[in-house]
Amino acid sequence: MANDIRPYNAPAGGWGALKALGEHLVEQGIPIKGAVTLGRMNQPEGFDCPGCAWPDPKHTSSFEFCENGGKAVAWEATAKRCTPEFFTAHTVTELSNWSDFDLEMVGRLTHPMAYDAASDHYVPVGWDEAFATVARHLNGLPDPNMAEFYTSGRTSNEAAFLFQLFVREFGTNNFPDCSNMCHEATSVGLPHSLGVGKGTCLLSDFDKTDCIFIFGQNPGTNSPRMMTSLRNASRRGATIMSFNPFRERALERFQSPQSPVEMATLTSTPISAKLYQLRVGGDVAVVKGLMKVLMEADDAARAGELPPVLDWDFIKGHTTGIEALTADLRATRWEDIVSQSGLARDDIEYAARAYMQAERAIIVYGMGITQHRRGAQSVQQLANLTLLRGHIGREGAGLCPVRGHSNVQGDRTVGITETPTREFLDRLERRFGFKPPSQHGHNVVTALEAMKDGKVKVFFAIGGNFVSAIPDWEVTRAALRKLDLTVQVSTKLNRSHLVHGREALILPCLGRTEIDIQATGPQSVTVEDSMSMVHASAGRNVPASEHLRSEPAIVAGIARATLGARSVVDWEGFTADYDLIRDAIEDVFPIFRGYNARIRIPGGFHLTSNARERIWATASGKANFLVFDGLGEDPPQDGLDVLWLTTVRSHDQYNTTIYSMSDRYRGVFGQRDVVFLNEQEMERRGLQADDRVDLITLSTDGVERRLSNFRIVPYAFPNGSCAAYYPEANPLVPLYSHDPMSFTPSYKAIPIRISRSRAEAV
């Protein structure tokens, strides 16, 4: 039913998931082809899911995909096509009025296209001409730093390595990356704590843990294959505690489509022993409360000559900073913890006791932690919590950041970073013979600021939908339109093709499901999952068009056209045989030793984590307890009228890709222009369900940021908090509102006020 709000009482997964996936395959015109393709996903001889980065089990079944992973495959393997004839029939101005959902439903891009300003149409262009256009613009820049090179998490290790190689030989470290907008707080915050910017868990740890704490993560939507691990842990008696402003359905109960008993009996497995609905921005207060309980219990135990609660052997042997941390916890008042978190002290103490009783505990977190003004420091507090009980470097325990896109972590590992280390640059120079630039480049926020200031002329993106993902649309989209050239390497039409520079190119590439044949035969690429497992991926489907090229081939083609004879890189050889790319990666990054041999072993291999081995690559040589000043993850705001808005993904969505206009787990159907608000906050403002309201950011720069005519949906949400969908709510996020350490925009905490809609008032 269109534009309907109605309760959804079924568990996550189950028949609802199978029904939704089947409908999606039919909608994309591939009911049979799609089913065959899904059978190859996440298999040793198949392709890696183009969706989330949750790892594959060592012993795969024939059913290693989830509902949203299946939708990602259907979205890519669709029978629908976006041809030159489509662009002839529609101007860019006309398409700009289409929804993001309608744009991507047009189908797979089939030809390279160039924007023709005179007609306001995209027109076909040859590959060589497209490469020459990019080369002309890049070589015409007075400074290489006037170009930005963006990478999405879809990009393989091979394509990402070639991309950074080309860009550094060109002369810049400007690598704004999708990680800047999601888990950069992990990449920046954790090295200060543990010496690594990644998690310390393996998938097998979930089979051995006694306790799992989940912060700011909605696994049922954003990484549904994680639900198998959580279900199995729950069924064998592990305690799961979840901390989330929403009562996410998958954190409550899950019906496994792989369980004949649950499917036949319509039963499900409870997931969380407790689900605590903390207020938006209350995570650090909860974590400090948990640590305070642990510390006080340890004081009491030692005073009574009982076994300590904290792991003092580990703390004394492997850490520094415990004195400063405990002093801060003693000075932190319980009334402030309760006020900031929105949870009762009894609730925090109950959760802390479960954590104390666990010999092995895993701390899981997502972007509900990282996308705050102090996101990197928030991550460090979770590291503190694991260190207090010695849960780093212990089987069945550890810190588990759940990355989003399938290779966002791998791109970082092979060199996509705006802040390269001296060691990496020296290795790159020794291997290839050119001197790479050492000046740090731009991340997403600083790249947008440079565009706004007119210091950037060219923007090149491999994958993603940059224009929708970025914050502060009115400011940032205006900046993109001022550029001389924008280039998008894409599989589907999206908003980024319509908000473009004076010249613009759409370069269509192969998808993860499609066979990639080069001069030496079929090729495979590799990806790294959330737990640092690297494995091969090889598509089997016939490409959507004979005109598509692989991402490595596109990068190499542009590099040859731009650098010409001055390049010292064998771009032809790398394009012909991806084994040669992996050999080069191994030469630059010794952690990939035996790369080609190891990816031919089913399941791939694990990139060693020093922290997992209790080797601390920090300045102190130990793991560091780091103090968080105060309790607020975001700047304080005064006044009863203030609401903290968090952006969320719907269940029928992955990142910026919208699979449908519905969100069945939250009971929203056929619409996305909604704001979730509890009845007490509605009553306080004289509002009722279905009223139309405007959302206005409490900005500090004098700029009005407003979204109009949003429908109120009553929802059991904490006081002082509300939620709306990403990316629709991104215009409310000021460009200045980001973590100063990681530069991650604060998508999860936007101070706003709500007023009756101007449209409704008229």
Side-chain angles (χ1 to χ4, degrees):
M1 187 181 299
N3 299 320
D4 189 20
I5 305 294
R6 62 182 186 273
Y8 184 85
N9 297 316
W15 291 108
L18 292 181
K19 178 176 181 289
L21 178 53
E23 290 172 347
H24 203 68
L25 292 173
V26 171
E27 183 180 32
Q28 297 299 329
I30 53 168
I32 297 175
K33 175 188 174 183
V36 172
T37 303
L38 288 173
R40 299 171 181 151
M41 186 162 70
N42 299 321
Q43 299 299 319
E45 300 300 322
F47 64 92
D48 191 71
C49 177
C52 81
W54 192 252
D56 302 332
K58 285 186 176 180
H59 304 290
T60 59
S61 70
S62 59
F63 185 26
E64 287 300 333
F65 57 88
C66 65
E67 175 189 349
N68 280 2
K71 290 174 183 174
V73 167
W75 178 89
E76 179 180 295
T78 179
K80 301 177 181 181
R81 299 291 181 262
C82 184
T83 63
E85 290 73 24
F86 170 84
F87 287 106
T88 299
H90 303 283
T91 66
V92 169
T93 300
E94 177 193 347
L95 292 173
S96 297
N97 294 317
W98 289 27
S99 71
D100 285 8
F101 171 70
D102 289 335
L103 290 173
E104 298 197 8
M105 283 295 288
V106 174
R108 287 290 300 278
L109 294 160
T110 61
H111 291 68
M113 306 296 292
Y115 179 65
D116 176 58
S119 65
D120 193 31
H121 284 269
Y122 274 101
V123 297
V125 64
W127 279 105
D128 289 343
E129 184 181 351
F131 292 163
T133 297
V134 179
R136 170 169 55 84
H137 279 273
L138 291 178
N139 288 328
L141 296 174
D143 182 349
N145 293 308
M146 297 177 73
E148 304 288 350
F149 298 90
Y150 176 78
T151 319
S152 87
R154 186 196 70 205
T155 313
S156 66
N157 283 351
E158 291 73 16
F161 182 78
L162 289 193
F163 195 48
Q164 67 81 30
L165 183 62
F166 156 55
V167 173
R168 290 195 163 99
E169 193 176 19
F170 173 66
T172 183
N173 284 313
N174 283 352
F175 286 107
D177 177 71
C178 65
S179 180
N180 296 151
M181 293 184 277
C182 57
H183 263 283
E184 192 69 11
T186 294
S187 301
V188 170
L190 275 190
H192 296 284
S193 295
L194 307 179
V196 297
K198 305 178 183 181
T200 67
C201 288
L202 295 176
L203 187 60
S204 58
D205 289 320
F206 282 77
D207 297 328
K208 301 164 186 172
T209 191
D210 306 311
C211 180
I212 302 169
F213 274 29
I214 304 173
F215 289 89
Q217 162 70 355
N218 178 14
T221 290
N222 297 318
S223 47
R225 291 176 67 222
M226 179 182 175
M227 294 309 304
T228 298
S229 296
L230 295 179
R231 173 186 178 273
N232 293 344
S234 175
R235 292 180 72 85
R236 64 175 176 77
T239 299
I240 300 175
M241 299 279 189
S242 298
F243 301 84
N244 197 305
F246 274 101
R247 291 194 65 85
E248 302 290 8
R249 181 54 46 85
L251 294 175
E252 294 178 314
R253 61 190 192 278
F254 176 66
Q255 185 180 81
S256 174
Q258 291 181 311
S259 169
V261 173
E262 287 188 351
M263 296 294 281
T265 60
L266 302 180
T267 56
S268 59
T269 298
I271 299 300
S272 300
K274 293 285 186 180
L275 205 170
Y276 296 111
Q277 285 187 264
L278 74 173
R279 65 185 295 274
V280 170
D283 296 273
V284 166
V286 171
V287 175
K288 290 185 80 167
L290 293 170
M291 292 192 292
K292 188 175 179 71
V293 175
L294 265 61
M295 180 197 68
E296 292 172 347
D298 186 77
D299 288 343
R302 292 198 292 165
E305 298 184 353
L306 297 173
V309 171
L310 306 185
D311 188 339
W312 284 104
D313 288 341
F314 174 83
I315 291 170
K316 291 175 181 178
H318 290 278
T319 73
T320 64
I322 185 64
E323 296 84 3
L325 177 66
T326 54
D328 176 70
L329 294 175
R330 294 185 202 284
T332 303
R333 303 186 312 164
W334 269 110
E335 52 263 46
D336 294 331
I337 291 173
V338 169
S339 174
Q340 181 70 28
S341 69
L343 299 184
R345 178 173 175 175
D346 286 349
D347 288 334
I348 296 173
E349 289 178 337
Y350 183 90
R353 285 194 293 273
Y355 188 70
M356 277 188 259
Q357 293 164 5
E359 183 180 349
R360 301 174 178 87
I362 294 173
I363 305 294
V364 175
Y365 69 92
M367 289 183 290
I369 292 291
T370 62
Q371 290 180 329
H372 288 269
R373 289 286 286 273
R374 298 175 71 185
Q377 291 177 286
S378 301
V379 168
Q380 292 168 351
Q381 300 316 294
L382 293 177
N384 285 348
L385 183 59
T386 60
L387 293 172
L388 285 175
R389 292 274 294 161
H391 288 313
I392 301 292
R394 179 181 298 168
E395 193 175 48
L399 199 60
C400 180
V402 181
R403 302 274 181 167
H405 218 151
S406 64
N407 199 43
V408 62
Q409 185 162 299
D411 290 350
R412 273 282 185 264
T413 303
V414 300
I416 297 295
T417 175
E418 73 279 7
T419 57
T421 65
R422 184 71 260 169
E423 179 187 7
F424 162 57
L425 295 177
D426 288 345
R427 287 184 176 276
L428 201 65
E429 182 177 357
R430 284 197 296 271
R431 171 60 177 80
F432 290 100
F434 71 89
K435 191 168 187 64
S438 58
Q439 176 185 349
H440 285 180
H442 293 150
N443 54 47
V444 165
V445 168
T446 55
L448 290 169
E449 289 172 341
M451 291 180 202
K452 184 167 62 76
D453 294 339
K455 297 177 181 177
V456 172
K457 299 299 181 185
V458 176
F459 177 77
F460 187 110
I462 297 188
N465 184 0
F466 184 76
V467 162
S468 290
I470 54 180
D472 218 347
W473 284 358
E474 186 171 347
V475 171
T476 55
R477 290 183 174 185
L480 280 157
R481 288 189 171 101
K482 292 191 299 183
L483 301 181
D484 291 340
L485 176 70
T486 52
V487 183
Q488 304 286 338
V489 179
S490 307
T491 56
K492 302 278 285 288
L493 182 65
N494 64 43
R495 186 70 52 190
S496 293
H497 304 128
L498 309 178
V499 179
H500 54 74
R502 295 179 182 90
E503 290 189 66
L505 293 168
I506 301 174
L507 305 181
C509 66
L510 295 173
R512 190 73 63 79
T513 62
E514 293 168 325
I515 190 167
D516 179 357
I517 298 179
Q518 301 297 336
T520 61
Q523 305 295 314
S524 63
V525 296
T526 55
V527 296
E528 178 185 347
D529 63 34
S530 274
M531 296 181 188
S532 301
M533 292 295 297
V534 177
H535 51 275
S537 174
R540 299 292 182 85
N541 288 351
V542 175
S545 165
E546 62 180 344
H547 301 288
L548 305 185
R549 294 196 181 183
S550 72
E551 289 179 335
I554 293 171
V555 172
I558 290 173
R560 286 194 303 271
T562 303
L563 302 175
R566 74 179 187 269
S567 178
V568 298
V569 177
D570 180 12
W571 300 106
E572 296 277 359
F574 281 151
T575 304
D577 187 351
Y578 295 176
D579 277 2
L580 299 181
I581 306 176
R582 289 186 281 270
D583 285 340
I585 293 174
E586 181 180 347
D587 290 340
V588 176
F589 301 99
I591 195 172
F592 283 94
R593 63 188 180 280
Y595 199 170
N596 278 306
R598 295 166 81 187
I599 64 161
R600 286 168 169 80
I601 299 172
F605 63 96
H606 181 247
L607 292 175
T608 302
S609 167
N610 287 337
R612 185 175 174 84
E613 304 300 322
R614 294 189 171 178
I615 299 170
W616 316 105
T618 61
S620 68
K622 293 188 175 184
N624 297 309
F625 286 106
L626 300 172
V627 173
F628 187 104
D629 180 32
L631 294 169
E633 298 167 59
D634 305 283
Q637 297 284 337
D638 297 325
L640 292 176
D641 197 35
V642 178
L643 285 168
W644 284 96
L645 180 139
T646 185
T647 64
V648 295
R649 277 73 167 168
S650 73
H651 186 62
D652 250 4
Q653 173 180 0
Y654 188 73
N655 291 342
T656 57
T657 299
I658 311 299
Y659 299 132
S660 85
M661 298 297 287
S662 297
D663 185 7
R664 74 172 186 274
Y665 289 166
R666 299 190 182 111
V668 178
F669 298 89
Q671 58 199 301
R672 292 179 60 84
D673 55 344
V674 303
V675 58
F676 298 97
L677 190 65
N678 76 28
E679 292 184 352
Q680 184 175 342
E681 294 290 0
M682 290 165 53
E683 183 178 353
R684 182 179 297 162
R685 291 164 175 78
L687 298 170
Q688 297 180 355
D690 300 328
D691 280 354
R692 291 285 174 168
V693 295
D694 292 353
L695 316 179
I696 307 102
T697 302
L698 298 176
S699 303
T700 60
D701 61 355
V703 176
E704 183 182 78
R705 296 173 175 87
R706 177 188 293 261
L707 288 177
S708 298
N709 210 32
F710 271 50
R711 179 182 183 178
I712 288 184
V713 174
Y715 206 92
F717 210 60
N719 284 334
S721 305
C722 61
Y725 289 124
Y726 167 100
E728 286 84 354
N730 286 7
L732 296 174
V733 185
L735 188 57
Y736 66 74
S737 184
H738 60 263
D739 177 10
M741 288 180 64
S742 68
F743 286 83
T744 304
S746 57
Y747 296 107
K748 293 299 184 187
I750 311 159
I752 69 163
R753 63 182 177 86
I754 289 181
S755 67
R756 287 194 177 276
S757 173
R758 292 171 173 174
E760 186 176 78
V762 172

